[in-house]
């Protein structure tokens, strides 16, 4: 099945500066939002606290629920509706991490008094601050090592530099482990390691790995920024979504890189920008089919999947769109920028 007729020629590379400007604006908007919100909004998985899901027998307002929470010293809690409106279910997020055995009964009675209806407490989940911090650090390490191993694969597959990229990755892993012994802040450590990785790619001329990793970092930063703009929480399912986005975006990038490599062998006298354009056009039908069908599935989960997977589906929706865009307008043009650098 082909959506695009063979022989089509769209000049994607000619629009790369517009695309770079768009990407920079998206990244800047995300950074500004993160500064305004004082960093990502962590869910209970990472920040620690308690989440309580309640179901009321009849309708009540969020104000009534907050009034009941205030009466037992939980005035700083956030309340949001959960699921369909007519189910009268709500999620309560509190920062408390220590309760006694009568906590559930006290809460139920306070909410019953303020709302005037029967209250069913469906679940109470509690995460301590240290557990949240440990999960946050492990999530960052998971994303860092995923990116690092991807560089080995890309460098080995496209440039046959298995040994070089393997040694570089081992050195970075050893450095990260060494600095963790000195209790260095993990977000700072991972950020520094990623910047160092990009510098090493540049000097070791791992251009395919550079293109792929820049595209993946681009996708993650924009997705995190959009989450911050919409004031959505980061939880463990969102980290799973980010790792899935890394895999999806990488797959798209590899398909385009593969075709570029084949066309460089077939048409070695053509300029690189023509080869990149030709390769993107030849894979465009496959890209649209894959992305289109994936977006339909994720959109169905987003609309019909319910509150539990709503944010996960939202992250996937943003990631698939941005990942498809970056494989065309971020990863491939970096190869062209590299060639311009070599000419100088």
């Amino acid at each position: 099945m082909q959506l695009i007729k063979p022989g089509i020629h769209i000049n994607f590379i000619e629009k790369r500066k517009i695309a770079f400007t768009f990407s920079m604006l998206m990244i800047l908007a995300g950074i500004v939002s993160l500064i305004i919100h004082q960093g990502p909004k962590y869910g209970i998985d990472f920040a620690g606290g308690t989440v309580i899901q309640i179901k009321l027998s009849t309708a009540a307002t969020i104000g009534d629920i907050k009034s009941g929470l205030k009466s037992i010293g939980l005035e700083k809690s956030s309340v949001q509706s959960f699921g369909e409106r007519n189910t009268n279910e709500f999620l309560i997020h509190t920062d408390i991490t220590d309760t006694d055995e009568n906590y559930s009964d006290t809460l139920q009675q306070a909410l019953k008094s303020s709302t005037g209806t029967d209250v069913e407490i469906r679940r109470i989940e509690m995460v301590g601050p240290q557990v949240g911090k440990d999960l946050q650090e492990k999530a960052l390490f998971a994303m860092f090592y995923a990116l690092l191993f991807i560089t080995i694969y890309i460098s080995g597959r496209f440039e046959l530099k298995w040994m070089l990229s393997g040694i570089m990755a081992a050195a970075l892993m050893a450095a990260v482990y060494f600095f963790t012994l000195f209790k260095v802040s993990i977000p700072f450590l991972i950020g520094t390691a990623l910047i160092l990785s990009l510098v090493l790619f540049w000097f070791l001329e791992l251009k395919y790995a550079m293109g792929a990793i820049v595209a993946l970092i681009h996708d993650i930063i924009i997705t995190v920024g959009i989450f911050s703009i919409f004031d959505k929480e980061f939880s463990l399912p969102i980290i799973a979504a980010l790792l899935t986005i890394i895999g999806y975006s990488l797959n798209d990038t590899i398909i385009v890189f593969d075709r570029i490599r084949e066309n460089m062998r077939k048409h070695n006298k053509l300029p690189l920008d023509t080869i990149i354009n030709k390769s993107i056009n030849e894979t465009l039908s496959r890209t649209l089919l894959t992305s289109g069908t994936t977006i339909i599935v994720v959109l169905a989960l987003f609309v019909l999947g319910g509150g539990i997977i709503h944010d996960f589906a939202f992250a996937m929706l943003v990631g698939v769109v941005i990942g498809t865009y970056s494989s065309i307008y971020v990863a491939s043009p970096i190869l062209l920028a590299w060639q311009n650098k070599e000419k100088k």
Side-chain angles (χ1 to χ4, degrees):
M1 182 179 177
Q2 283 192 320
L3 289 178
I4 307 293
K5 291 181 181 177
I8 189 171
H9 178 74
I10 302 173
N11 196 341
F12 291 100
I13 293 301
E14 189 181 42
K15 304 287 191 300
R16 67 185 185 281
K17 290 183 180 176
I18 298 174
F20 282 157
T21 305
F22 172 73
S23 292
M24 288 305 300
L25 289 174
M26 291 289 289
I27 289 170
L28 280 174
I31 291 172
V32 169
S33 175
L34 286 169
I35 292 171
I36 292 172
H37 290 108
Q38 299 180 334
K41 183 180 179 182
Y42 292 118
I44 185 175
D45 297 336
F46 298 131
T50 304
V51 61
I52 305 156
Q53 182 181 344
I54 61 170
K55 180 176 173 59
L56 307 182
S57 298
T58 57
T61 66
I62 288 178
D64 292 335
I65 296 171
K66 283 190 172 181
S67 174
L69 293 171
K70 186 177 180 181
S71 68
I72 54 173
L74 298 177
E75 60 272 17
K76 292 182 180 178
S77 305
S78 67
V79 182
Q80 65 183 101
S81 59
F82 182 75
E84 300 294 332
R85 185 178 295 273
N86 57 6
T87 59
N88 299 322
E89 289 192 54
F90 296 87
L91 280 182
I92 301 168
H93 295 260
T94 75
D95 57 359
I96 60 169
T97 56
D98 186 25
T99 60
D100 57 35
E101 56 184 11
N102 297 321
Y103 177 75
S104 178
D105 293 337
T106 305
L107 177 67
Q108 195 171 22
Q109 191 57 46
L111 293 177
K112 185 176 180 179
S113 299
S114 65
T115 59
T117 184
D118 289 335
V119 178
E120 177 189 352
I121 296 180
R122 311 200 84 172
R123 66 179 166 118
I124 298 179
E125 294 178 1
M126 190 178 298
V127 177
Q130 186 57 44
V131 173
K133 186 182 176 186
D134 290 345
L135 288 173
Q136 186 182 346
E137 292 178 355
K138 285 176 181 174
L140 284 171
F141 276 124
M143 283 196 284
F144 172 70
Y145 287 124
L147 293 174
L148 204 56
F149 287 120
I150 283 168
T151 63
I152 299 176
Y153 173 71
I154 297 285
S155 302
R157 173 165 175 169
F158 290 98
E159 297 171 299
L160 301 178
K161 294 180 179 175
W162 290 102
M163 184 67 75
L164 186 61
S165 57
I167 292 172
M168 187 198 77
L172 280 170
M173 289 167 64
V176 167
Y177 176 74
F178 177 76
F179 283 109
T180 53
L181 298 178
F182 293 93
K183 308 295 182 187
V184 177
S185 162
I186 299 301
F188 175 78
L189 178 61
I190 298 297
T192 305
L194 280 175
I195 292 170
L196 183 59
S197 303
L198 292 175
V199 172
L200 288 172
F201 293 156
W202 184 260
F203 283 105
L204 297 175
E205 299 190 349
L206 301 174
K207 54 189 174 188
Y208 284 96
M210 182 91 168
I213 292 301
V214 169
L216 294 179
I217 294 174
H218 164 276
D219 299 346
I220 292 174
I221 290 177
I222 289 183
T223 305
V224 170
I226 290 176
F227 251 66
S228 176
I229 290 170
F230 284 94
D231 202 25
K232 288 185 173 293
E233 288 186 348
F234 282 87
S235 57
L236 283 176
I238 303 307
I239 298 301
L242 290 178
L243 290 171
T244 308
I245 290 166
I246 288 175
Y248 182 87
S249 177
L250 179 68
N251 184 51
D252 245 12
T253 302
I254 285 176
I255 297 291
V256 177
F257 278 1
D258 253 341
R259 190 56 61 92
I260 290 173
R261 187 179 54 170
E262 287 173 16
N263 283 331
M264 286 177 76
R265 290 172 185 160
K266 288 181 188 173
H267 313 285
N268 54 13
K269 292 184 179 177
L270 288 176
L272 184 57
D273 57 342
T274 305
I275 288 177
I276 292 175
N277 259 328
K278 182 178 178 60
S279 305
I280 295 174
N281 278 286
E282 287 176 355
T283 55
L284 193 58
S285 184
R286 176 261 169 207
T287 301
L288 291 178
L289 273 173
T290 308
S291 301
T293 49
T294 307
I295 286 172
I296 289 171
V297 172
V298 177
L299 196 59
L301 289 175
F302 179 74
V303 176
L304 306 171
I308 292 290
I309 61 169
H310 190 268
D311 286 352
F312 175 85
F314 180 74
M316 287 295 299
L317 202 57
V318 173
V320 170
V321 173
I322 297 296
T324 305
Y325 159 83
S326 71
S327 66
I328 295 173
Y329 282 112
V330 178
S332 302
I334 284 178
L335 299 179
L336 190 61
W338 202 286
Q339 186 194 51
N340 295 336
K341 170 210 165 199
E342 288 175 343
K343 283 181 181 176
K344 293 177 182 175

